[in-house]
Each structure stands twice: as C-alpha cells, then as structure tokens.
Amino acid sequence: MKVLVSGASVGGPVLAYWLGRHGFDVTVVERAPAPRKGGQAIDIRGAALTVVERMGVLEQVRALRTTMRGMSMVDGDGNEIMRSEEATLSGGRFDSPDIEIMRDDLNRVLMEATNARYVYGDSIATLGDDGAVTFEGGWSERYDYVIGADGLHSNVRRLAFGPERQFLYHLGTYVSIYTADNFLGLDHWQTWFNAGEAGGALFSDRDPAEMRVNLGFRAGVIDYDHRDVEQQKRLIQEHCSEVWQAPRLLEAMWKADDFYFDAMAQVKMEHWTKGRVALVGDAGYCASPLSGQGTSLALVGAYVLAQELGTEPEGAFERYERRMRPFVEANQALAHENPGQGASPESIQRAANSITLT
C-alpha cells in the first residue's frame, strides 16, 4: 500500500520508519528545499522515550542530548537575580530520565533511521477523496493514505478539513528562535530575561562559538503571513527592542538564515481523520511549546497510527483516535495549568506517561 506523508520534521520520519517496517511504500514530501536546520531545544519524555527506544536510536539520541550545566535569570541590566545548577526551564531537572535535544539533531537521527523516499522543495496542491494527489511541482500520484505531519499551519489539514482558523486557539504569545554568535561566552548555560511584555532566553551547547536565541512577546491575535520571514523579523524588532542585549540580539536576528517565528497556539479538532487522510502531531493536536510536549505527542502519535495501520487497516483511524485522544487532552492541558510559569514537573510526567504503548 502506498502512503504519502507531508512533513519531514519529527512525526513524518517516525511514520516513515514504522510504516516501512509494516511493509508500506512511503513517500515523504517536504516544502523546505532541504532538511531544516536550527530550532529550539525539545524534550522526549515518558511514552515517547519508548518509541525512540523501539526504533533503535535511543543511544544515538542520548549521545546528542543537551549538556547544560544550569541556568540563570537576569534583570534589565544583566544582573543575575536567580540561578540553578539542578534544572533548566527548558529541560527540567538534570536527574530526570527525560532527554532534551536540539530539534535539528533529533530530526537528523530520525531521518537516517528511515528507508523512505524524501521529496524536498515541493508540496501538495490538490487532494482528492480517491487518494489522487497533485503536487505544486506539476506531477501527480495516487495513494492509499495521505498523512499530514506538516505542523501548526498544516497544508493537509487545510485541504482536507478546511481553513485553519476553525481549529487554531491562540494562547497570546509569539516566539522566535535563531542562531547567533556566542558573544556572551555562554558555556553550556541558559540565560533568561524579561522586559514587560517581551522576553527571551539564550543558551549554548556543543559548539562554543554559537548560541540559540529565543525572543518572544505577549500580544493579541496578529494577522501575519507565516511564510514571510521579513515580516516576522519586523514583529520581533518592534516588540523586543527593550529586552536585555536587544541591539546585538536584533542585529544577529537580521543576519540569521535559520530564523523561525510563530504564535503559541493549540490545534483542537473533533476528528483527526477523514476518508483516506489522517493528521499527526502539531497538524492535528498541537499542544504548543508552552506544554513542553509537542515533540512527544508527534513521536507517540506517529507510532500509534503506524501500528494501527500495520495491524489492520480496516478501522485503523478509529482506533488511532480512540487511543490518542486522552493522551492529547492530558498534554494540551499542561499549557493552561500555570500560565506564565509552566506546568509542575509532576503534571508533566503524569501527562507524558498517560498512554500505554503495546
């Protein structure tokens, strides 16, 4: 059976791996011209660790985990007001079994584990009820299943279910991330700061010459083009000009070629499947970075969907939705538990283990 997966970040390669193990012929199409570089530190927790282990890449992932020594918070003048050498805001406690890893490192490991066909620089143009797909590149093909693993602004979701405004629930925050020269000399360290409605974090890891920059701000719904990087950079320039180290951080932002920006938002849908189409990860049930569980949801969702399709295609979508719904709801709730501060470690672990993988 032929399966088309849209999106080559986390959920897409995991789907490709497990569907391939079940004997499916898998093609992954990705709008970006090459594997995306950059991105934030992401977490693998609970049931998601089981998925990575069963793929045989757990030790590779552990070897690439971030190796933070700690974190600090500074005031507007850069004076330290808090520090911890036991945990970080992004990754939790250092003695936890959870794995914090940079998004591009995880993506590389997952892709190398698959044996699927990857098509870059292209996207789905039309999607028929009979599995007929035409591509923006001008070619066409017919598939037994089409899976959207293409993120918050899913093209597959739009084509199969309707405009994204029906499903997106904004959480009042916008965030960006990009790579900059490590002009502060951070050494396996995170530094967090706030300035009114704006703030951010800087962190370094394996390469001492670089640091990842997070800048964000709180605001109501903003009408912007999620593909217009210049417009997004102007929004960060406008809202983050008063944060600590703003001149140097914003100068680096305009030079960055791995800049990412988006709203903190959740996707809520009554169903993630329709006909031959299914959604996985952020495309169907984005929990937002505020939950800390987006990556784990994508890993587990891809595994469960592939398992159900591989076991018995008849009724697979219904079983996938039934198994995943409680897990999704538990993890989406984390973003609302303690706004501005984050959910408790106990809540995060409870949600991360709220599904049993057979």
Side-chain angles (χ1 to χ4, degrees):
M1 301 183 78
K2 296 175 62 176
V3 180
L4 175 67
V5 178
S6 176
S9 182
V10 173
V14 176
L15 267 169
Y17 174 87
W18 288 109
L19 288 172
R21 290 284 298 270
H22 288 294
F24 290 82
D25 177 5
V26 184
T27 298
V28 181
V29 63
E30 167 59 51
R31 181 182 295 277
R36 297 177 188 268
K37 60 181 181 177
Q40 62 189 13
I42 54 181
D43 300 296
I44 306 173
R45 299 185 172 109
L49 287 168
T50 301
V51 174
V52 173
E53 182 178 27
R54 292 180 181 178
M55 289 181 69
V57 297
L58 179 58
E59 292 311 309
Q60 288 178 262
V61 171
R62 286 196 189 281
L64 291 169
R65 68 190 306 166
T66 63
T67 52
M68 296 295 170
R69 298 183 298 110
M71 59 157 286
S72 57
M73 287 189 174
V74 300
D75 63 19
D77 297 318
N79 300 310
E80 187 173 279
I81 56 178
M82 187 279 279
R83 77 161 31 214
S84 171
E85 296 182 3
E86 298 178 348
T88 62
L89 286 178
S90 67
R93 291 188 58 85
F94 296 151
D95 58 4
S96 164
D98 303 341
I99 296 175
E100 182 183 59
I101 183 172
M102 303 309 296
R103 188 208 64 81
D104 44 359
D105 285 340
L106 176 61
N107 180 237
R108 183 175 64 256
V109 171
L110 296 176
M111 289 186 60
E112 289 175 352
T114 68
N115 186 28
R117 177 193 182 204
Y118 285 84
V119 178
Y120 285 96
D122 210 343
S123 185
I124 299 172
T126 65
L127 182 57
D129 293 339
D130 59 352
V133 175
T134 62
F135 294 85
E136 292 179 0
W139 55 292
S140 61
E141 189 60 81
R142 190 178 302 275
Y143 299 92
D144 296 286
Y145 298 103
V146 177
I147 314 297
D150 45 355
L152 181 66
H153 304 291
S154 170
N155 184 42
V156 172
R157 186 185 62 228
R158 177 183 61 83
L159 291 170
F161 296 88
E164 69 175 37
R165 64 176 178 272
Q166 301 179 47
F167 311 112
L168 258 60
Y169 294 81
H170 287 265
L171 301 179
T173 302
Y174 296 81
V175 66
S176 69
I177 186 165
Y178 55 93
T179 301
D181 291 338
N182 187 6
F183 59 80
L184 293 175
L186 297 178
D187 179 14
H188 297 76
W189 195 262
Q190 296 184 2
T191 300
W192 295 74
F193 48 91
N194 285 297
E197 296 299 299
L202 313 174
F203 46 96
S204 69
D205 195 38
R206 287 190 303 278
D207 186 347
E210 294 181 348
M211 63 181 179
R212 299 284 172 99
V213 180
N214 281 87
L215 289 179
F217 57 90
R218 291 186 290 273
V221 176
I222 298 175
D223 184 16
Y224 72 96
D225 184 347
H226 67 270
R227 295 180 187 168
D228 188 339
V229 174
E230 294 296 308
Q231 180 191 27
Q232 296 161 18
K233 289 184 175 181
R234 288 195 297 271
L235 286 171
I236 291 293
Q237 178 89 40
E238 175 186 351
H239 289 273
C240 299
S241 61
E242 301 299 322
V243 302
W244 177 63
Q245 295 286 345
R248 299 180 77 177
L249 294 175
L250 293 174
E251 179 183 6
M253 175 191 72
W254 286 105
K255 297 177 181 178
D257 61 1
D258 62 349
F259 178 85
Y260 170 85
F261 173 91
D262 215 334
M264 294 282 195
Q266 293 190 335
V267 173
K268 296 188 177 182
M269 304 178 68
E270 291 186 8
H271 295 284
W272 309 313
T273 61
K274 182 179 181 182
R276 299 170 182 261
V277 177
L279 303 175
V280 162
D282 283 358
Y285 34 83
C286 178
S288 87
L290 294 175
S291 74
Q293 282 292 91
T295 299
S296 292
L297 281 170
L299 286 164
V300 173
Y303 175 86
V304 171
L305 177 56
Q307 184 182 51
E308 295 298 346
L309 283 170
T311 300
E312 172 52 60
E314 183 68 29
F317 283 179
E318 291 81 0
R319 297 192 303 274
Y320 161 65
E321 296 212 25
R322 186 167 59 250
R323 290 178 64 187
M324 284 296 295
R325 184 69 63 175
F327 185 60
V328 168
E329 291 177 351
N331 284 283
Q332 286 189 329
L334 295 173
H336 306 279
E337 179 178 295
N338 191 11
Q341 301 296 322
S344 69
E346 295 77 15
S347 295
I348 292 172
Q349 288 302 322
R350 187 163 52 248
N353 289 290
S354 61
I355 188 171
T356 301
L357 299 182
T358 57

